[in-house]
Amino acid sequence: MSTFDEVNILFDRASERLGLSDGIRELLRRPWRELRVSVPVRMDDGSIRVFSGYRVQHNGVRGPYKGGVRYHPDADQDEVRALASLMTWKNALVDIPFGGAKGGVQCDPLSLSNDELNRMTRRYTTNIEHLLGVNRDIPAPDLGTSAQTMAWMMDAYSHIHGYSPGIVTGKPVELGGSVGREQATGRGVVLVTRIAAADLGMDPRGARIVIQGFGNVGAWCVRAASEMGCKVIAVSDIHGGVHSGDGLDVRALVAHARESGTVSDFPAADPLDNNEMLELDCDILIPAAIDRVVHAGNAPKVRARLVVEAANHPLTPEADAILGDRGIAVIPDILANAGGVIVSYFEWTQNLYQHRWTLDEVNDELDAMIGKAYAAVRETSLREGISYRDAAFLIGVGRVAAIFQMRGFI
Ligand code: GLU
């Protein structure tokens, strides 16, 4: 089953419960617009490689399209389409005035030099530029992209349209990025984890936590979880993981990763691989890397009490059902990792007004918005007797469907 089909299982359950007509379901399920482009790049050795690039605008009824751009070998049309639809439901759930989109270039960014990445980003941007706009579609970082990628995108777009900081979010702060954007996803994940743990009667202080992934989101989750008093017992990145039953020395681990480029050879802990870590005995598991890491094969072996999805779509629907049957609580991606796009919204607003917020203002607003979304999901879940994931989709899909009717779209 494709990733898009998997996401649509969740969408279909929500539309069934909402009683949407077949026509509206079809309209909401499908992306509104998809663009596939060739991205030719002159490599450092003089050869030419042609990558495939995508931008999928899934639904724009609630506002400009919004969503990240990922550079990853699996970023094909289907995956980008699935992630674009998740953005539609996520943005609606946290009630920010955006539709959903996603972009990607199918490549291995780790095998490209900085100059090659710069050239690839510029060509990708100029090839999709006619779909973008400060009030039309605003990209942001995702897997394999960063503030630097956004600076290149903004520069390429501004060469054509004039100085346009609001065309992307997640930019460097010096270029109009928002303070607090880089850590926002991790902050949101940990905030939601703290509330969910308390709801389960678990004290987050001292809770044993496993975090898979040490990219932007994973690394900030590790720091925020440790600041909150959790015992971070295992962390991994693409090279592998490390484990210590007594809790890792997070400060030393972060310093080590900065030096060596990986957490996997951190000397003060035992090595373990990326699959083993998902099966560790722990209180809270946070998959913060890639999609579909928990599946029917390993879901029966997950030993956490609470799973918080920092990555997009880290659980297959089968895994989700297995964890549900086993009484393991799951906080879904469209709620748990929404902190990033929430602060993207603040960044876009600041760019439109040419005004800067302080870090306290950003963090306070972020905490309030994600806390409100969590409370709505919890309340819906209890009222309807459904999982947090189904509740989150019910709210997101319901809001988009309501706006369709209101605008008299068809
Ligand atoms: N890529 C992030 C996500 O999946 C952020 C998107 C954005 O800020 O537009 O939510």
Side-chain angles (χ1 to χ4, degrees):
M1 192 185 289
S2 75
T3 313
F4 188 53
D5 289 340
E6 289 185 349
V7 172
N8 281 331
I9 292 178
L10 312 172
F11 166 78
D12 285 337
R13 275 213 297 263
S15 19
E16 188 66 38
R17 199 168 278 272
L18 288 162
L20 300 182
S21 71
D22 288 349
I24 294 283
R25 279 187 210 195
E26 191 59 18
L27 187 58
L28 294 184
R29 187 187 291 118
R30 287 198 204 193
W32 187 249
R33 190 180 285 120
E34 300 192 347
L35 180 63
R36 179 192 171 285
V37 292
S38 291
V39 185
V41 179
R42 170 85 58 195
M43 306 302 282
D44 291 344
D45 65 4
S47 64
I48 292 171
R49 276 182 68 188
V50 185
F51 298 93
S52 291
Y54 305 94
R55 185 72 183 167
V56 175
Q57 298 178 330
H58 179 261
N59 189 294
V61 79
R62 296 185 73 258
Y65 297 100
K66 184 89 192 80
V69 172
R70 73 168 44 181
Y71 291 171
H72 192 271
D74 296 336
D76 59 12
Q77 189 138 4
D78 179 79
E79 187 183 79
V80 174
R81 191 183 284 144
L83 295 167
S85 75
L86 282 176
M87 288 308 303
T88 299
W89 316 129
K90 186 188 306 187
N91 293 339
L93 170 65
V94 295
D95 208 9
I96 54 177
F98 290 130
K102 203 78 169 196
V105 178
Q106 196 162 17
C107 67
D108 175 8
L110 298 176
S111 70
L112 300 173
S113 72
N114 208 46
D115 286 346
E116 288 166 344
L117 284 169
N118 184 353
R119 289 194 287 274
M120 188 179 83
T121 302
R122 284 172 189 285
R123 185 47 90 97
Y124 169 68
T125 307
T126 50
N127 285 0
I128 64 162
E129 147 290 306
H130 57 290
L131 295 189
L132 306 182
V134 173
N135 288 304
R136 295 187 65 191
D137 186 350
I138 305 118
D142 197 81
L143 207 62
T145 55
S146 62
Q148 175 61 78
T149 321
M150 295 305 110
W152 291 328
M153 285 192 85
M154 179 210 148
D155 188 66
Y157 186 88
S158 295
H159 275 295
I160 305 167
H161 296 276
Y163 185 69
S164 317
I167 190 58
V168 286
T169 57
K171 302 175 286 293
V173 172
E174 300 82 343
L175 264 187
S178 179
V179 289
R181 172 63 184 83
E182 197 181 281
Q183 55 270 48
T185 311
R187 182 183 174 90
V189 168
V190 170
L191 188 89
V192 163
T193 303
R194 190 179 72 208
I195 312 173
D199 281 346
L200 291 172
M202 206 193 288
D203 184 357
R205 299 192 63 82
R208 293 163 310 143
I209 190 160
V210 170
I211 301 177
Q212 186 198 43
F214 202 73
N216 175 280
V217 176
W220 283 106
C221 282
V222 168
R223 276 177 242 196
S226 146
E227 274 165 27
M228 194 168 77
C230 292
K231 197 196 270 189
V232 181
I233 61 164
V235 173
S236 71
D237 59 29
I238 44 169
H239 305 288
V242 283
H243 170 230
S244 164
D246 299 332
L248 297 161
D249 178 344
V250 163
R251 201 177 284 239
L253 178 77
V254 169
H256 174 83
R258 200 178 298 124
E259 285 275 299
S260 79
T262 176
V263 295
S264 63
D265 53 5
F266 181 54
D270 304 321
L272 91 170
D273 76 30
N274 256 305
N275 296 324
E276 288 170 323
M277 57 189 284
L278 299 168
E279 299 167 16
L280 276 179
D281 185 16
C282 64
D283 299 307
I284 303 167
L285 170 64
I286 303 189
I290 51 169
D291 51 343
R292 305 210 261 191
V293 292
V294 186
H295 41 75
N298 59 6
K301 299 183 204 146
V302 168
R303 286 194 277 168
R305 282 175 64 197
L306 169 66
V307 176
V308 183
E309 296 185 327
N312 285 315
H313 198 59
L315 270 58
T316 65
E318 291 92 344
D320 197 37
I322 293 168
L323 297 191
D325 288 347
R326 294 182 54 217
I328 299 174
V330 178
I331 306 299
D333 47 6
I334 62 171
L335 172 62
N337 71 24
V341 74
I342 290 175
V343 177
S344 275
Y345 164 51
F346 302 158
E347 179 172 328
W348 178 74
T349 310
Q350 291 172 73
N351 293 152
L352 293 184
Y353 284 93
Q354 293 290 317
H355 176 74
R356 297 235 176 208
W357 294 11
T358 64
L359 184 59
D360 282 346
E361 285 170 330
V362 167
N363 284 341
D364 288 352
E365 288 268 333
L366 165 62
D367 295 358
M369 283 186 94
I370 206 159
K372 189 171 164 202
Y374 178 92
V377 168
R378 182 170 192 271
E379 193 270 317
T380 304
S381 150
L382 292 174
R383 191 187 63 232
E384 302 281 329
I386 54 179
S387 68
Y388 274 30
R389 189 188 308 280
D390 282 340
F393 270 77
L394 195 64
I395 296 170
V397 173
R399 285 197 177 137
V400 177
I403 295 283
F404 258 108
Q405 324 278 8
M406 226 174 266
R407 288 182 62 163
F409 190 82
I410 35 168

